[in-house]
Amino acid sequence: MNLRYDSLRTRLIWPFVLLGYAVSAILSLASFTIFSALEEQAIERALAVELESFYYRSERNPDAIPPTASLLRGVRLPSTELPGIAAHVREDRVIEKVIIGDQRFSVLVAEVAGTPYALVYDRTDTDARLGRLALFLLIATIMMTLLSYLVGSRLALRLVSPIGQLLDELNEKAGKRDPRQADLGFVAADYPNNEIGELVRRIDAFARRLQGFILRENHFAADVSHELRTPVAVIRGAAEVLKSHPKMPEACLPRLETIQRSAVRMGGVLEAMLLLSREKEEGDDPACALSDVVEDIVADCRPSLARRPVELSLEVRAHPILPVERSLAYVVISNIVRNACTYTERGRITITVESDGVVVEDTGIGIPEDRFPTLFERHAKGVESEGYGLGLSIVARVAQRLKWHVELSSVSGRGTRVRLSFCPDLLPESSWNSR
């Protein structure tokens, strides 16, 4: 499974590792502190007991010798054996730690029978034991941290494994070329009976419901397209027959031409709507001469301006050939041009075909600034509009499918400028570089 996201398994393992390290480190530190404190108390007690014993023996026998043992002995001060210990007796009886050579000692200075003495305890073995204990606790902390990682990794794998299985199944279903024919459902029995299994059941119900919506939408689009193509073809054929009739009055020919062009446009719109209702297939390889499409759009829109002082001009600066469906290009550009014709009472409408885009400019009523946030939403229209507010939403939808970029600027009362920019990948190299 290709991880292109923050791994949930890693995020589950780290808390286990940190918890194991924190617990083992705290326990090790507490154990070392307690053991060290107990050793220090044992040394202090031994020195205190020997000092009291020496006091008692000195009182009974002034010539009593100081304590002499393997770990604890008494030395009369000053002494060359303890060069760093002064013959100064402190009232609080502080035990000092000194290092002489390779050995470590705890020293208690006291005055016995008027003579300063130092009780010396050899703590070399004690410090060695504390060092070994510290090393052992450090190794134990490392081992506990490693064990926490292994346990956390095992538990995280058990938790994440069903999610990985679900992701693989989702990727497989998303890769189906035709989701209408594939089974988009999930089998909850293949997953553990916990929150993940419940999630799979909910996804399964949602996927089957969504697939039903897709099938109904596709059937509706296909059925409507099929049912309307026949009458549109009949209207188109009848207009052609009437135009060629020798006794047809000249005054009726422009009307018949408009009917025929409208029938052709309706057929293209039906094809475009059918294309929008299905996903783009990899085998599609269309080619569209964009300047021819724009010329047809201009011819279709001229009759709507016949009784208004509006000049509709077309400037073709390039002839790009794009790998897009002709009907889709017609729909997106014709909607913009028809809007310009509808809302321009006088002045001019200029359409410019360039190598990397199409520009439509008009001197119409413009668009108020407060409408821009919802301009491309469905059923969003101004008070002056008599339509259903679908034109620009269709433009946005088709442009998104074709990977075109729509730039719109407008000043209320002065006109509107719309530019459709083609994706660089859709253009021949020569056309893009000629920009």
Side-chain angles (χ1 to χ4, degrees), residues 105-288:
F105 300 94
S106 292
V107 180
L108 175 61
V109 178
E111 186 176 297
V112 180
T115 304
Y117 282 90
L119 295 182
V120 181
Y121 187 93
D122 188 353
R123 58 177 302 122
T124 303
D125 291 340
T126 301
D127 288 347
R129 286 196 303 273
L130 289 176
R132 290 192 295 271
L133 176 63
L135 179 61
F136 172 78
L137 292 176
L138 177 62
I139 295 175
T141 300
I142 296 174
M143 296 299 295
M144 186 64 181
T145 303
L146 180 60
L147 179 62
S148 299
Y149 172 79
L150 296 176
V151 173
S153 178
R154 177 71 175 178
L155 292 177
L157 180 61
R158 293 185 61 182
L159 289 174
V160 175
S161 179
I163 299 178
Q165 179 185 348
L166 179 60
L167 286 176
D168 292 338
E169 193 170 354
L170 283 170
N171 288 333
E172 179 184 358
K173 294 182 183 299
K176 299 291 185 180
R177 295 190 60 180
D178 190 355
R180 296 169 297 181
Q181 304 297 329
D183 182 14
L184 299 183
F186 297 84
V187 181
D190 295 340
Y191 296 87
N193 188 24
N194 51 23
E195 287 83 355
I196 296 178
E198 182 63 23
L199 174 64
V200 172
R201 282 188 284 271
R202 300 290 179 88
I203 293 178
D204 175 66
F206 177 76
R208 294 186 184 279
R209 185 181 179 191
L210 183 62
Q211 187 174 27
F213 288 151
I214 294 174
L215 291 175
R216 287 192 293 273
E217 181 181 357
N218 279 271
H219 291 163
F220 174 79
D223 294 343
V224 169
S225 177
H226 177 269
E227 294 299 325
L228 291 181
R229 279 180 177 177
T230 299
V232 168
V234 171
I235 294 172
R236 181 178 177 182
E240 291 178 355
V241 171
L242 291 175
K243 281 177 57 180
S244 62
H245 197 279
K247 295 183 179 181
M248 180 61 59
E250 290 292 332
C252 295
L253 292 179
R255 296 292 184 182
L256 290 174
E257 180 70 22
T258 300
I259 293 174
Q260 184 180 8
R261 297 191 69 88
S262 297
V264 173
R265 182 175 67 86
M266 180 62 68
V269 170
L270 289 174
E271 180 182 356
M273 295 300 102
L274 188 60
L275 289 172
L276 285 177
S277 67
R278 61 185 177 94
E279 290 187 328
K280 185 177 180 180
E281 298 181 359
E282 296 181 358
D284 294 344
D285 188 21
C288 173

Side-chain angles (χ1 to χ4, degrees), residues 52-63:
E52 293 298 329
S53 176
F54 190 29
Y55 273 138
Y56 178 75
R57 288 189 290 109
S58 296
E59 290 177 355
R60 299 186 62 182
N61 181 13
D63 296 328

Side-chain angles (χ1 to χ4, degrees), residues 337-407:
V337 175
R338 283 203 304 272
N339 280 347
C341 294
T342 301
Y343 300 110
T344 303
E345 295 297 331
R346 59 178 52 83
R348 59 183 294 121
I349 300 173
T350 304
I351 305 172
T352 306
V353 180
E354 301 174 348
S355 61
D356 60 347
V358 176
V359 180
V360 179
E361 298 178 272
D362 64 64
T363 58
I365 62 175
I367 303 173
E369 186 176 354
D370 58 354
R371 285 200 54 213
F372 274 82
T374 60
L375 197 59
F376 292 97
E377 295 181 1
R378 290 176 63 85
H379 304 294
K381 63 177 184 176
V383 294
E384 70 283 349
S385 175
E386 298 180 356
Y388 294 97
L390 297 176
L392 288 180
S393 68
I394 295 176
V395 169
R397 184 180 175 188
V398 177
Q400 182 180 13
R401 180 186 178 95
L402 300 180
K403 298 182 180 179
W404 290 4
H405 181 62
V406 182
E407 301 175 21

